[in-house]
Amino acid sequence: MRTAAGSGTARLRIREYRGLEFQGSTQTASTPIDGTWRRLVVSVLTVFQGSHFDFQVLMDPQGPNAALLVDDIAIERLLTDVPPVVTIPEEVTWGWQ
């Protein structure tokens, strides 16, 4: 992720639900962002089989016109003893403008 304008801090938040019941959440530390691409990674281990996740990218802008760009999000399901990993790469080689 990076800013399109301005600066601020950003973090990833993952929440787990079993049906409509909230089970818990985890998030990355707030990371300063500017015009440089940054990679954030968070690992999550499910608590219940059959639960689902809510994934959010949160920004705390500094200044009135700060805007966030997010690209190339990956959610990977790994073996049962390894938690899924959500990543955003530091550099993007192509994309829409």
Side-chain angles (χ1 to χ4, degrees):
M1 68 180 63
R2 71 175 178 91
T3 57
S7 62
T9 60
R11 64 192 184 281
L12 302 177
R13 179 168 60 190
I14 310 293
R15 297 183 295 189
E16 182 177 2
Y17 291 88
R18 185 176 186 191
L20 297 176
E21 187 177 330
F22 174 73
Q23 298 300 313
S25 68
T26 189
Q27 65 183 13
T28 63
S30 290
T31 302
I33 55 172
D34 53 25
T36 304
W37 284 103
R38 306 263 181 202
R39 179 180 182 183
L40 297 181
V41 177
V42 62
S43 297
V44 178
L45 180 62
T46 61
V47 176
F48 295 101
Q49 181 178 349
S51 61
H52 64 276
F53 290 107
D54 173 55
F55 170 78
Q56 297 175 313
V57 179
L58 304 168
M59 179 186 183
D60 297 313
Q62 294 177 357
N65 296 316
L68 182 65
L69 296 174
V70 178
D71 194 13
D72 202 15
I73 295 174
I75 299 174
E76 299 177 32
R77 182 177 180 177
L78 304 175
L79 300 175
T80 57
D81 62 340
V82 180
V85 177
V86 177
T87 61
I88 299 175
E90 290 182 42
E91 296 185 24
V92 176
T93 56
W94 62 272
W96 294 295
Q97 295 291 327

